[in-house]
Amino acid sequence: MRNKLVTNLATIAREAGVSASTVSRVLNNCGRVSAGTRQRILEIIHSRKLLYRSNCRTILVILPGTEEDLAWYSVKLLSNLRRESRRRNFHLELVSHDDLSVIAERNFFGVISFDFRHGISAVWGKDSALPLVCLNDAGSLLEKVPAIYSDEAAGLSLAVDHLAGYNHRRIGLLLEGADTFSASGRESAFLASMAKWNLADTAVVARQISEPFGPVATLLQAGVTAIIAPTESMSIWVLHALRSLGLRIPEDLSLVTWELSYISEFQDPPLTTLEQNFGVIASRAFETLEKMFYGQNVPLEQRIEYKMNKRNSVALPPR
């Protein structure tokens, strides 16, 4: 590997018209190098997908675009990424999807993305040779971009099994309006889980566009006796909508939501939830990036199990 590194440093230096020491300073983000020279060196590396090693310990984290609010899910995932980066002696630099030009201006150990709107993995190999890991978003077999995501099939199966065990036969799923990787996975997983109980004909799906009252009313008009609300930010909205409509949980309707730490368990009633394992997602992201950096093979898909917190928002259907 050492010979390969030296050869590539010399190649980069020759093409950029600079010394190998200048290339080394750029790769390690140290020393004084003009902005134009730095950008020229990085463009050569990315365009030719050259192999190199550096002492850089900075990982770029790509957030959704600025049109997307960083809600509870994003904050929780970022908190775990920050904790894991400190444990592994890395530094994080955050950038939104709108500002990816920074990749051409600085060197990074690797990139973690949880921008779930723009399908970044499909075009990554055309733009950069940096190792990329996508969280709760699709990876790319063609570009060899791995994806680490919560196992929606197993999670929705847990929720449906729990409700069906309480004799619920008409269950509703309330999805976000956007057609994201997670949303599409949750819908297909829900329908498959309902079919397993021979309840495919009584499954109802509604999408929340801007507020929860309309979609909740749609589910209630369809006669559901239980609702699954599979996003963290939706949990309290749905509970508020149901209470505003005069419904009691769980006497009139059972509810399974996604976990909000220190909030879900203190609602009235304490909410039965599915909880994403953000700690494991973060740990796997760093572990995968390190393996990619050192040329090791990594699985292109890693599914992380949900945890179910059984509390008091599920009961038998009303008679």
Side-chain angles (χ1 to χ4, degrees):
M1 189 64 70
R2 182 177 177 85
N3 291 337
K4 184 80 171 183
L5 170 62
V6 172
T7 299
N8 280 333
L9 282 179
T11 300
I12 299 165
R14 186 167 52 253
E15 289 198 27
V18 299
S19 67
S21 62
T22 299
V23 174
S24 180
R25 288 199 296 274
V26 170
L27 293 180
N28 293 295
N29 289 329
C30 66
R32 302 180 68 175
V33 180
S34 70
T37 299
R38 182 181 299 276
Q39 185 168 355
R40 186 164 72 252
I41 291 170
L42 291 175
E43 284 178 351
I44 291 169
I45 292 170
H46 296 323
S47 65
R48 295 189 52 181
K49 301 182 181 180
L50 296 174
L51 174 66
Y52 62 90
R53 297 288 181 261
S54 75
N55 295 322
C56 177
R57 301 293 291 177
T58 301
I59 290 177
L60 186 68
V61 178
I62 302 176
L63 308 175
T66 51
E67 76 281 358
E68 187 80 27
D69 289 335
L70 296 183
W72 191 94
Y73 161 81
S74 298
V75 172
K76 188 68 174 179
L77 184 52
L78 273 175
S79 294
N80 281 271
L81 288 172
R82 184 184 63 175
R83 190 175 299 116
E84 190 67 22
S85 71
R86 184 175 181 84
R87 189 177 76 82
R88 295 175 182 261
N89 195 31
F90 282 102
H91 304 285
L92 298 183
E93 183 168 325
L94 309 183
V95 64
S96 75
H97 181 272
D98 312 294
D99 300 310
L100 290 183
S101 59
V102 70
I103 294 173
E105 300 167 359
R106 297 192 56 217
N107 186 41
F108 298 95
F109 181 93
V111 182
I112 296 173
S113 171
F114 61 94
D115 174 19
F116 45 82
R117 301 287 189 193
H118 297 97
I120 192 169
S121 65
V123 297
W124 186 254
K126 301 182 182 70
D127 301 326
S128 178
L130 287 170
L132 167 69
V133 174
C134 291
L135 305 183
N136 281 332
D137 193 15
S140 171
L141 178 63
L142 180 63
E143 301 296 341
K144 293 183 170 55
V145 175
I148 301 169
Y149 52 86
S150 296
D151 190 338
E152 304 300 340
L156 268 295
S157 181
L158 283 174
V160 170
D161 289 353
H162 186 57
L163 291 169
Y166 274 86
N167 205 35
H168 288 278
R169 294 294 177 263
R170 186 171 288 272
I171 301 171
L173 180 71
L174 182 57
L175 290 174
E176 289 182 301
D179 188 19
T180 63
F181 174 79
S182 291
S184 60
R186 287 165 181 165
E187 181 171 2
S188 60
F190 170 69
L191 296 175
S193 297
M194 291 291 284
K196 183 180 68 175
W197 285 86
N198 295 319
L199 299 175
D201 293 340
T202 58
V204 185
V205 178
R207 290 187 178 273
Q208 175 182 323
I209 304 301
S210 58
E211 50 78 31
F213 289 92
V216 167
T218 297
L219 294 177
L220 295 176
Q221 290 168 4
V224 303
T225 60
I227 291 176
I228 301 172
T231 66
E232 290 81 5
S233 59
M234 194 186 296
S235 301
I236 303 303
W237 292 0
V238 174
L239 186 62
H240 172 67
L242 292 171
R243 285 174 173 167
S244 298
L245 293 170
L247 294 173
R248 301 167 301 163
I249 307 297
E251 293 86 354
D252 299 323
L253 185 131
S254 289
L255 179 64
V256 176
T257 68
W258 262 223
E259 177 76 4
L260 294 173
S261 297
Y262 310 112
I263 296 176
S264 299
E265 62 184 314
F266 298 115
Q267 295 303 300
D268 183 20
L271 298 175
T272 293
T273 64
L274 285 174
E275 182 175 358
Q276 297 196 64
N277 199 329
F278 292 106
V280 172
I281 292 174
S283 177
R284 293 280 185 88
F286 281 88
E287 178 183 311
T288 301
L289 268 187
E290 288 186 291
K291 287 182 177 179
M292 293 172 72
F293 184 85
Y294 291 110
Q296 300 175 28
N297 292 327
V298 297
L300 290 180
E301 287 189 340
Q302 298 180 59
R303 296 179 176 87
I304 309 302
E305 291 184 357
Y306 275 95
K307 173 188 175 184
M308 188 163 203
N309 302 303
K310 297 179 180 179
R311 300 189 181 112
N312 301 334
S313 61
V314 175
L316 293 169
R319 294 180 178 272

